[in-house]
Structure formats: structure tokens, C-alpha cells
Amino acid sequence: MRAPRQAVEIVFDHATKRYPGRAAAAVDDLSLVIPAGEVCCLVGPSGGGKTTAMKLVNRLVELTSGDVRVDGRSVRSLDETELRRGIGYVIQQVGLFPHMTVAENVATVPRLLGWSKAEIAARVDELLDLVDLPAVDYRARYASQLSGGERQRVGLARALAADPPVMLMDEPFGALDPITRMRLQNELLRIQREVRKTIIFVTHDIDEAILLGDRVAILRDGGILVQYDTPEELLARPADEFVARFVGADRGLKRLSLTRLGELELEPAETASGPVLDAGTTLRDALSAMLNDGSRTVLVEGGDGATRQLTLDRLAELLR
């Protein structure tokens, strides 16, 4: 088995892209650093340059000026084919090859890189299991036999196949129904905890960006960076009115989705009653459970067998 490749830092250094005949830049003087192993979500309105900025990394779009560096090396100095084989790429329309099986689709890049048949077979099985598509059931299927969510999982496995240090994801879950989308968002978080890639994730959905991003970059028309921050800072301290409007008037409630019950020190539950939730429940979902139940308290069962409580008053304190 090959040793895992380490995640790398990505740097946008005054990166600019202008198209001939257009007054405004598509991406304008973009400077930010994405630390190795983190997820950076690019979010903003249509025409904000999110996808263009992402494509500067794998040179599907060429820079007009400035630079993008991956692991300290300018993308302009790298051979395009070599660069792209080291970057996983996942798009909304997955683009599986219909004449190939799931296993053959996932094996595409390792095969181009000259991996042995045994290495490829082992890697395919490992990745299908990782994305929760058991290899024994799925490796011989074709794209036409898969649901939309299953095709997206195969696309993710294919992008991970050669163990790239960088992943680019362009609204990969945008065409899915809300339930499947939520499942795949959580699946991506689980996979990221295991593989720790440096990921640029493009989305127009601020809730998705807050859920998935270690850092969030908000771009506005003309590809201008307005704020680059952690989700917590973005929600607590929007840089200006544009950001405040974009994240929404309910940003206080959005902040509740960033914390889970298991992360808090809670009081012992002695005589309290209310919905019983697990420690992985977000505070936002805990509040929803209170409202649905008409209760001012939720109970949390800990791994030590003790039951603790979160009250509505404590939740209000946390919001402030």
C-alpha cells in the first residue's frame, strides 16, 4: 500500500483574471491562504467569480496577473497534466464514463499513472468502502444503475483515487434533493476527518459553507474578496452590510449549528424532562427539538451513562 500523501497549503497571491471585452474582472486581486488540510468554501452571488477562482488552481482558467501557489510552487511553473493529476476534481454533473463500471471509473487516474493492477484493485475497494458504497455490491455496476447520490459518491471516490493532496469541488451537491444533500455533506465531513485533504469547495449556499468550511471566503460581483474568516467569526462579526445580508438575519441561529451538545459542560439532569438527544446534536437542532416538544429543556445522554440537561435559558446565554 502506498504511503498517504500529505495535504499542502494553497496561496492566492493577488490572483487576477480578466476576460477580453469585459470591463470588470472575473477575479480581482484575490489574496488568501488556505492552510494544509483545511476546507475553504468560496461563496457568494452568481457572477462573484467563485468557480473562476477555483479553476485558477488547476489551470482550467489561466491567470491574467498575480499567482497561485500549491505547496510553495507556482501553478504557472508546473506542467498542466502533472498539476491536474495531483488535484482531485468533483463537479455537480459527475461525468462518470457510462461504458465503464464503477470500479473502472474510480481507477481512471491510477491507471493513467501506471499503478499495478493489484494496487488499483485494492485502492478501488478501499475508496468505495470509504464513501459507503460497499465494493462487493458496487464495483461491477454502471452509472445508469446508480441514484444521483450514489453517482456523486463514485465521483468523490474517483477524485480521491490517486490520493491527491488537493481537492477542488464545484457545487458537487447542488443538484441533489435536500435529504441526500445533507447525507453527503455529513459524509464529506466524515471522510475529511479520515483523509485530511486541502479542499476548495464552491457553493452559493451560505448554510453549506458554514457547515463544511474551516474557513469561508465571501466574494462579490467582480470577484472581489469581501471577507475571509472562520464560520464563527463570519457570523459573529460580518465585515460589512453586504456580508451581513448575505449570511442572513438569522446568523445568530446559524451560529448554533457550529456547536454540538457534546462540546458543552452541561448540568446534571435530576428532575428535568424533555427530548433525549445524543451528544452529536447541534445546538440549532436542540433548539428545534425544544420548540417541537414545547419543552424548555433537552436531555443529553453521555458516554459515562450520566444524563445531563441543556435549558432554554442556557441556550440564550450562549447565543449572546
Side-chain angles (χ1 to χ4, degrees), residues 23-310:
V27 175
D28 193 359
D29 198 37
L30 177 62
S31 291
L32 57 86
V33 176
I34 305 170
E38 290 198 359
V39 179
C40 169
C41 288
L42 302 181
V43 64
S46 298
K50 305 180 297 293
T51 296
T52 301
M54 185 198 70
K55 288 181 177 179
L56 293 174
V57 177
N58 62 356
R59 292 181 59 189
L60 287 177
V61 171
E62 294 286 0
L63 285 153
T64 301
S65 62
D67 201 5
V68 176
R69 294 188 293 277
V70 177
D71 196 22
R73 297 186 296 170
S74 169
V75 296
R76 288 172 146 174
S77 70
L78 300 173
D79 174 76
E80 288 181 26
T81 301
E82 176 194 353
L83 172 69
R84 290 171 189 165
R85 285 180 181 174
I87 296 175
Y89 190 44
V90 186
I91 58 176
Q92 186 176 120
Q93 305 302 329
V94 187
L96 297 182
F97 300 113
H99 61 288
M100 292 184 181
T101 64
V102 164
E104 290 166 340
N105 267 283
V106 174
T108 301
V109 175
R111 192 168 54 246
L112 290 172
L113 294 174
W115 290 24
S116 71
K117 289 184 178 180
E119 284 180 308
I120 291 174
R123 183 64 172 160
V124 166
D125 287 358
E126 175 191 6
L127 285 171
L128 288 178
D129 290 339
L130 182 68
V131 300
D132 202 24
L133 296 175
V136 67
D137 297 322
Y138 282 89
R139 61 179 359 266
R141 296 189 189 183
Y142 289 87
S144 61
Q145 298 172 299
L146 305 176
S147 69
E150 288 170 341
R151 285 195 294 271
Q152 203 67 56
R153 288 171 190 263
V154 174
L156 179 57
R158 183 173 65 182
L160 287 165
D163 192 24
V166 172
M167 297 275 291
L168 304 180
M169 306 185 75
D170 191 4
E171 302 212 38
F173 309 143
L176 301 174
D177 65 86
I179 293 175
T180 303
R181 183 173 187 166
M182 184 180 301
R183 285 177 181 161
L184 283 182
Q185 289 167 346
N186 289 325
E187 196 73 7
L188 177 61
L189 289 172
R190 179 188 65 80
I191 291 169
Q192 174 65 353
R193 285 194 293 270
E194 294 190 33
V195 301
R196 300 308 302 177
K197 302 299 181 184
T198 307
I199 299 176
I200 298 179
F201 190 105
V202 169
T203 178
H204 66 276
D205 184 341
I206 187 62
D207 289 322
E208 184 168 63
I210 288 166
L211 173 67
L212 298 178
D214 295 296
R215 297 167 193 259
V216 178
I218 294 189
L219 304 174
R220 65 184 305 165
D221 292 348
I224 297 170
L225 179 65
V226 187
Q227 187 168 355
Y228 181 50
D229 248 320
T230 63
E232 294 87 347
E233 283 294 309
L234 196 71
L235 293 173
R237 283 171 280 278
D240 61 16
E241 185 60 29
F242 173 83
V243 176
R245 288 200 311 271
F246 194 84
V247 299
D250 64 340
R251 63 179 183 271
L253 290 175
K254 287 186 172 75
R255 288 172 62 193
L256 293 180
S257 67
L258 300 174
T259 305
R260 300 183 184 274
L261 292 172
E263 298 169 13
L264 301 176
E265 289 188 15
L266 300 175
E267 302 171 355
E270 296 173 355
T271 59
S273 62
V276 179
L277 307 175
D278 66 59
T281 304
T282 67
L283 297 189
R284 187 171 186 170
D285 288 342
L287 175 60
S288 178
M290 288 182 194
L291 296 174
N292 289 336
D293 192 69
S295 170
R296 296 180 63 85
T297 306
V298 293
L299 305 180
V300 185
E301 293 183 338
D304 57 0
T307 301
R308 295 176 173 82
Q309 66 178 17
L310 173 70

